[in-house]
Amino acid sequence: MSGVQMITVADDDGDQRLDRWLRRMFPHVSQGRIEKMCRKGELRVDGGRVKGATRLMPGQQVRIPPLPDSDNRPAPAPTRVSEADAKMIRSCVIYRDDQVMALNKPPGLAVQGGSGQTRHVDGLAEALMFDLDEKPRLVHRIDKDTSGVLLLARTRSVAADLTASFRHRETRKIYWAVVGGVPHPKAGTIKTGLVKAAGHGAKGEGEKMVNVHPRDIDDTPGAKRAVSEYMVIEAAAKRAAWMALTPITGRTHQLRAHMAELGHPIIGDGKYGGSAQENLGDGWGAQLGGDISKKLHLHARSLTIEHPVSKAKLHITAPLPDHMQHTWDTFQWDTREVPEDPFDDEAWEQW
């Protein structure tokens, strides 16, 4: 059993969640143990009580209570990125300057480790240093099975600026998706609460969000308000629709849970639309059958943000992954026929 430890947050570790920082320092500490230490007041920052989600600042003092030897092992030595993985992750780069970098993240590649994930963007970032001495940092997340634009900061100071932009919703994110059936009306706003379903694994395995009626949010422990806008771009009869989606808030699985709540789950979304339920034209069911891929049809198409240094508008667009492009080809949908922001009325008029 180790004694009490006082650790100063390093400059490079600022603006990071306490629980993630601690698990990087002590990888064998479970999330449950961290939450328990926070509840009991044993884990403190600058002498004050904290939560696992508390964000750390450089120079703060973290008090870590005695840990069992199994939780006090040093972090494992970083593993070398294989040449194949380095080539793969570099091929995903769709934008790069001295401050920021953007990837077109492929579906199936996790952004961070956890729940058994050993191959992820954060772990491969060492191969994305190029001409700098530090690896790029994550500033936001997208789901493992979602493809598309993922922004990274190339320096610590830029990471803080970009993280603040995402936290304060100073970004514009547009997703493309295919859903079962055709929503009516063809454009609208979805407002619900989202709360984590009971029964998910101890480390978040099988995590699923449940929609809560707006009137019940304040009375539902853990529920957070979630707002999404949607628009039907094109339909394949009544069988499926090409959707533009934009999350106004940024909750876990927000777009997936919202489209399922609307009665039109995203194709390939077994978690929210039934893994084997085939869509028969009435809107419900996450599979279309035939040669349409069973993979999730959700793609972070574009991201617009103020550049942290030049302050110019930075707009990044990511091409569709192969399985979604095949679906577009099958339905003869043309990506060139849609403006960059389908929610902008003036953009449609000028198109």
Side-chain angles (χ1 to χ4, degrees):
M1 181 79 72
S2 66
V4 172
Q5 302 178 66
M6 300 294 294
I7 300 180
T8 302
V9 179
D11 289 345
D12 289 346
D13 289 332
D15 199 30
Q16 185 174 171
R17 284 175 56 122
L18 171 63
D19 51 3
R20 291 172 182 161
W21 174 84
L22 189 63
R23 293 193 68 179
R24 292 178 74 171
M25 296 285 291
F26 303 99
H28 300 287
V29 175
S30 68
Q31 184 68 26
R33 180 179 290 276
I34 294 173
E35 296 298 335
K36 183 177 181 180
M37 290 190 294
C38 289
R39 288 195 304 271
K40 296 176 67 176
E42 296 174 338
L43 189 60
R44 292 176 174 257
V45 175
D46 286 345
R49 297 177 72 102
V50 288
K51 296 181 179 180
T54 297
R55 289 192 173 272
L56 300 174
M57 299 299 293
Q60 287 184 318
Q61 290 279 322
V62 181
R63 177 193 184 277
I64 301 173
L67 300 173
D69 292 339
S70 60
D71 285 340
N72 201 36
R73 301 175 191 169
T79 56
R80 180 186 176 90
V81 178
S82 70
E83 291 185 12
D85 277 344
K87 182 178 180 180
M88 180 278 297
I89 200 68
R90 288 170 186 156
S91 73
C92 296
V93 177
I94 52 177
Y95 177 85
R96 188 181 98 206
D97 61 30
D98 291 340
Q99 290 82 34
V100 301
M101 176 187 303
L103 308 180
N104 184 5
K105 187 191 80 66
L109 179 64
V111 171
Q112 276 189 307
S115 299
Q117 299 295 333
T118 58
R119 185 171 179 263
H120 45 80
V121 174
D122 194 34
L124 300 175
E126 180 184 330
L128 297 173
M129 293 168 58
F130 295 104
D131 53 335
L132 298 185
D133 295 329
E134 52 185 318
K135 73 175 188 177
R137 293 168 167 80
L138 297 169
V139 294
H140 69 122
R141 317 283 185 268
I142 56 179
D143 289 348
K144 175 184 175 182
D145 293 324
T146 302
S147 58
V149 180
L150 180 70
L151 198 66
L152 296 93
R154 300 195 68 197
T155 67
R156 180 181 61 82
S157 60
V158 167
D161 291 341
L162 289 176
T163 299
S165 293
F166 279 94
R167 188 181 304 137
H168 299 141
R169 302 175 189 170
E170 297 169 350
T171 61
R172 178 69 166 167
K173 293 181 282 187
I174 294 176
Y175 288 73
W176 281 359
V178 182
V179 302
V182 182
H184 182 78
K186 292 189 175 182
T189 302
I190 307 170
K191 298 179 180 179
T192 73
L194 287 176
V195 63
K196 192 177 297 184
H200 57 81
K203 298 183 179 180
E205 304 93 332
E207 183 177 61
K208 185 173 182 178
M209 308 304 290
V210 175
N211 286 278
V212 176
H213 193 282
R215 66 169 175 263
D216 299 324
I217 295 175
D218 292 339
D219 297 325
T220 304
K224 296 181 179 179
R225 297 183 185 275
V227 182
S228 304
E229 293 181 348
Y230 73 90
M231 176 181 290
V232 175
I233 296 178
E234 199 162 343
K238 295 182 179 180
R239 191 88 186 280
W242 167 10
M243 306 292 298
L245 309 170
T246 184
I248 305 304
T249 53
R251 310 304 183 197
T252 300
H253 298 174
Q254 177 175 314
L255 297 177
R256 297 164 62 184
H258 271 175
M259 293 314 299
E261 180 71 6
L262 201 64
H264 300 276
I266 296 173
I267 298 303
D269 192 352
K271 184 183 291 289
Y272 291 95
S275 59
Q277 178 67 39
E278 185 172 336
N279 175 260
L280 301 176
D282 58 357
W284 188 253
Q287 301 299 339
L288 290 178
D291 62 350
I292 299 299
S293 174
K294 293 184 177 181
K295 292 181 180 179
L296 184 68
H297 282 59
L298 180 61
H299 177 69
R301 171 64 174 179
S302 68
L303 185 148
T304 304
I305 191 171
E306 181 182 88
H307 193 283
V309 176
S310 71
K311 303 306 178 182
K313 179 174 123 176
L314 180 61
H315 178 81
I316 302 169
T317 301
L320 291 169
D322 290 344
H323 76 282
M324 290 182 67
Q325 185 61 59
H326 174 74
T327 300
W328 261 244
D329 293 342
T330 300
F331 292 132
Q332 298 183 349
W333 292 337
D334 191 344
T335 60
R336 298 170 297 181
E337 296 181 354
V338 180
E340 289 183 351
D341 189 344
F343 297 93
D344 186 343
D345 292 338
E346 292 184 5
W348 277 111
E349 293 174 0
Q350 296 172 4
W351 195 256

